[in-house]
């Protein structure tokens, strides 16, 4: 059959999904009435759904090795929680509303705010410039315990921390990576992994910390436990550095500020 | 272990937040096969799937208090897992390693994810479906995994993936179109119109519901 007026296949597929409206929808429907070829494409689309659904109903069980390492990881997380180090997580509820956007992948809430970290840094006397995270100009404001106001501003800043999750976008393919203006989330995650491994060249803790042993949080700001104790790490995707704040002070000192 | 725990998901999660040391593990054991399937199908790579799933569940463990109870716990878990998968895929793409290799060895690894009680026919189909999924755009794939394979509604998938329902529909529509020739051996219709074929051979997927041109490729069967 020679018919120069076949609708493009994308249009047929979108029509079948109910995405085409108005006159275009009428035209496609009219064409489908007459064209067996295009009807067969539509039928094939349904068959794809059928094949996927049939396969979907047979979930492959988690392999034993995966299950075992997952169990171990959860046990470690449980032990960490029992030891109290990351137990601050629950305080978020008491000190502020949950992140507003359901789409946002939450960042470890208490240290999400770079500005807050800078305040922490000033209280422990380790002056570190936090590049690319903004809001450091007031780092001297809090000489001692963080006040309620500082905590609030810290949380505001936390909302500006780049989210590792992509924003909702057009249904296009191959969306470009985020602009390089700010640290790119994937880059941060890679840095974080390198920090965890403690071996990669680009990692330059600015203090002579020992090898990091554990890390909490997956945002640009993390709590890191070194051999010598907890510290705060700020990952900078632009310069590919990890700035480590407060290598030596005890945990209690870090968190005495009320974060 | 705690297989007999009769508490529902939300109760377990609340118990975890309240300090119950076993509750989260119980929750994970209850759903881990399904979460593994989603992770595997979204990444199409067992190693990435394992890492993404572990990262996601540890993250969920630590911020369980952010669960607000206005969604199913499973939806919340899926959201964290799928986003971890997509983050990993984007990160890998940003490192410019290109698309997944499509070699036989990888196909064998994927097929190996089958259960031991699975027939050869089923495991072959599983490998073929995963291989086909691996050839389409990851966002279309994630949408199809949730909607067509997991049976989530478009609205739920939109919540999980953090985009509009229309976007989910469009991704599903384009993804299915690309899968038509890739899964042709499993469809009853062996003689598809020729003007379908070109869609499978390259990554052509306009970003709008309405294609920008009237006749992008192969609109003219004989």
């Amino acid at each position: 059959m020679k018919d120069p007026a076949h609708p493009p296949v994308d249009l047929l597929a979108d029509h079948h999904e109910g995405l085409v409206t108005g006159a275009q929808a009428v035209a496609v429907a009219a064409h489908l009435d007459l064209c067996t070829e295009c009807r067969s494409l539509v039928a094939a689309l349904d068959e794809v759904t059928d094949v996927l659904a049939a396969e979907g109903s047979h979930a492959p069980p988690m392999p034993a090795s995966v299950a075992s390492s997952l169990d171990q990881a959860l046990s470690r997380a449980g032990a960490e929680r029992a030891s109290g180090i990351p137990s601050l997580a629950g305080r978020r509820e008491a000190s502020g509303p949950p992140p507003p956007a359901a789409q946002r992948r939450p960042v470890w809430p208490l240290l999400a705010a770079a500005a807050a970290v800078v305040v922490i840094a000033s209280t422990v006397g380790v002056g570190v410039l936090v590049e690319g995270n903004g809001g450091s100009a007031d780092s001297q404001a809090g000489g001692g315990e963080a006040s309620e106001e500082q905590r609030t501003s810290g949380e505001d800043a936390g909302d500006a921390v780049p989210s590792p999750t992509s924003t909702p976008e057009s249904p296009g393919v191959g969306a470009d990576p985020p602009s390089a203006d700010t640290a790119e989330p994937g880059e941060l995650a890679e840095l974080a992994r390198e920090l965890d491994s403690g071996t990669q060249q680009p990692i330059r803790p600015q203090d002579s910390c020992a090898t990091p042993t554990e890390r909490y949080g997956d945002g640009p700001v993390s709590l890191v436990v070194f051999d010598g104790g907890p510290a705060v790490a700020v990952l900078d995707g632009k310069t590919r550095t990890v700035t480590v704040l407060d290598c030596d002070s005890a945990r209690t000192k870090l968190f005495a500020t009320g974060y | 272990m705690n297989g007999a725990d009769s508490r529902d998901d939300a109760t377990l999660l609340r118990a975890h937040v309240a300090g119950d040391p076993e509750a989260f593990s119980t929750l994970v054991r209850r759903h881990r096969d399904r979460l593994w399937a989603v992770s595997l199908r979204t990444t199409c790579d067992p190693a990435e799937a394992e890492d993404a799933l572990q990262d996601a569940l540890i993250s969920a463990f630590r911020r369980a208090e952010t669960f607000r109870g206005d969604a199913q716990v499973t939806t919340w878990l899926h959201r964290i897992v799928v986003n971890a998968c997509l983050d990993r895929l984007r990160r890998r793409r940003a490192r410019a390693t290109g698309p997944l290799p499509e070699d036989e060895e990888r196909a064998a690894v994927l097929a190996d994810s089958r259960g031991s009680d699975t027939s050869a026919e089923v495991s072959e189909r599983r490998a073929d479906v995963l291989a086909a999924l691996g050839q389409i755009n990851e966002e279309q794939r994630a949408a199809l995994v949730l909607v067509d394979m997991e049976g989530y509604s478009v609205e739920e998938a939109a919540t999980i993936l953090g985009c509009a329902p229309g976007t989910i529909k469009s991704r599903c529509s384009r993804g299915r179109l690309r899968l038509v020739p890739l899964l042709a051996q499993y469809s009853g219709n062996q003689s598809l119109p020729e003007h379908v074929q070109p869609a499978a051979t390259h990554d052509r997927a306009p970003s709008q519901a309405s294609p920008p041109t009237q006749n992008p490729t192969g609109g003219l069967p004989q």
Side-chain angles (χ1 to χ4, degrees):
Chain A
M1 165 179 174
K2 260 192 183 331
D3 184 356
H6 280 301
V9 291
D10 293 336
L11 185 58
L12 288 169
D14 287 348
H15 176 268
H16 191 50
E17 188 64 24
L19 290 166
V20 180
T21 55
Q24 204 172 25
V26 173
V28 173
H31 178 87
L32 281 170
D33 277 347
L34 298 172
C35 179
T36 52
E37 287 186 346
C38 287
R39 278 204 302 276
S40 71
L41 169 61
V42 171
L45 293 171
D46 285 337
E47 281 166 3
V48 165
T49 294
D50 292 344
V51 171
L52 292 178
E55 177 57 28
S57 67
H58 294 93
M62 177 181 279
S65 62
V66 177
S68 149
S69 70
L70 179 60
D71 283 344
Q72 287 170 20
L74 288 175
S75 294
R76 280 196 300 276
E80 286 160 9
R81 188 167 80 143
S83 76
I85 293 177
S87 66
L88 306 149
R91 290 195 208 168
R92 169 101 203 184
E93 262 183 329
S95 62
Q103 301 95 317
R104 173 177 301 158
R105 175 172 152 192
V107 179
W108 193 56
L110 292 144
L111 292 172
V117 172
V118 172
V119 173
I120 293 175
S122 70
T123 65
V124 298
V126 182
V128 178
L129 177 64
V130 183
E131 283 185 16
N133 281 299
S136 61
D138 298 328
S139 62
Q140 297 309 311
E145 302 289 297
S147 68
E148 186 65 36
E149 291 78 6
Q150 286 165 331
R151 205 175 312 150
T152 304
S153 69
E155 277 166 7
D156 289 344
D159 287 339
V161 169
S163 160
T165 306
S166 74
T167 54
E169 85 279 16
S170 72
V173 223
D176 289 334
S179 113
D181 206 18
T182 55
E184 202 251 319
E187 184 98 336
L188 290 176
E190 187 179 348
L191 276 174
R193 220 174 32 249
E194 290 171 349
L195 175 64
D196 288 342
S197 76
T199 57
Q200 297 304 306
Q201 282 307 315
I203 302 301
R204 296 186 279 109
Q206 294 185 351
D207 292 299
S208 54
C209 293
T211 308
T213 54
E214 293 174 72
R215 187 176 58 83
Y216 306 101
D218 49 9
V221 182
S222 305
L223 171 67
V224 186
V225 178
F226 291 89
D227 290 345
V232 172
V234 179
L235 312 183
D236 186 334
K238 269 200 300 189
T239 59
R240 297 190 56 76
T241 53
V242 175
T243 304
V244 175
L245 310 178
D246 186 44
C247 208
D248 299 316
S249 71
R251 179 195 316 163
T252 49
K253 188 164 184 182
L254 261 178
F255 297 116
T257 54
Y259 287 89
Chain B
M1 313 237 231
N2 263 333
D5 197 319
S6 61
R7 290 176 288 179
D8 67 22
D9 291 350
T11 306
L12 282 172
L13 202 56
R14 279 195 300 271
H16 164 71
V17 171
D20 182 333
E22 288 300 320
F24 195 83
S25 291
T26 303
L27 186 63
V28 166
R29 274 194 294 276
R30 187 175 288 172
H31 298 295
R32 68 186 180 190
D33 283 349
R34 192 175 177 202
L35 293 170
W36 166 251
V38 166
S39 190
L40 182 62
R41 289 161 178 162
T42 305
T43 60
C44 287
D45 181 312
E48 294 278 11
E50 178 174 357
D51 289 349
L53 184 59
Q54 187 160 313
D55 288 355
L57 290 176
I58 295 299
S59 178
F61 179 101
R62 292 195 178 130
R63 50 191 175 82
E65 77 284 350
T66 66
F67 175 72
R68 282 180 290 162
D70 51 3
Q72 295 280 332
V73 172
T74 48
T75 305
W76 178 73
L77 287 172
H78 271 75
R79 182 158 66 88
I80 296 173
V81 169
V82 171
N83 283 324
C85 291
L86 291 176
D87 275 351
R88 284 192 164 263
L89 294 175
R90 293 189 185 108
R91 203 181 304 148
R92 177 165 61 189
R93 192 178 52 204
R95 290 198 299 266
T97 53
L100 292 171
E102 290 165 25
D103 54 74
E104 305 244 328
E105 190 181 343
R106 218 174 64 81
V109 171
L110 289 172
D112 214 34
S113 306
R114 64 182 180 268
S116 52
D117 58 344
T118 316
S119 76
E121 188 185 344
V122 168
S123 63
E124 185 183 335
R125 184 183 68 183
R126 170 157 302 153
D128 286 345
V129 169
L130 277 172
L133 284 171
Q135 291 181 57
I136 70 172
N137 169 276
E138 69 208 24
E139 282 163 342
Q140 295 171 355
R141 179 166 70 234
L144 284 174
V145 165
L146 292 172
V147 174
D148 281 1
M149 302 188 82
E150 293 296 314
Y152 275 107
S153 70
V154 166
E155 287 71 24
E156 288 169 320
T159 302
I160 290 172
L161 289 171
C163 57
T167 304
I168 296 293
K169 285 187 174 189
S170 178
R171 288 177 184 172
C172 286
S173 155
R174 302 308 169 88
R176 283 185 205 117
L177 186 61
R178 298 212 56 220
L179 286 175
V180 164
L182 297 172
L183 292 174
Q185 72 268 36
Y186 293 104
S187 78
N189 189 342
Q190 294 298 321
S191 56
L192 287 168
E194 231 173 86
H195 67 287
V196 179
Q197 302 307 325
T201 55
H202 54 95
D203 217 300
R204 178 178 64 92
S207 59
Q208 297 302 316
S210 303
T213 63
Q214 271 308 301
N215 189 9
T217 46
L220 296 175
Q222 34 281 58

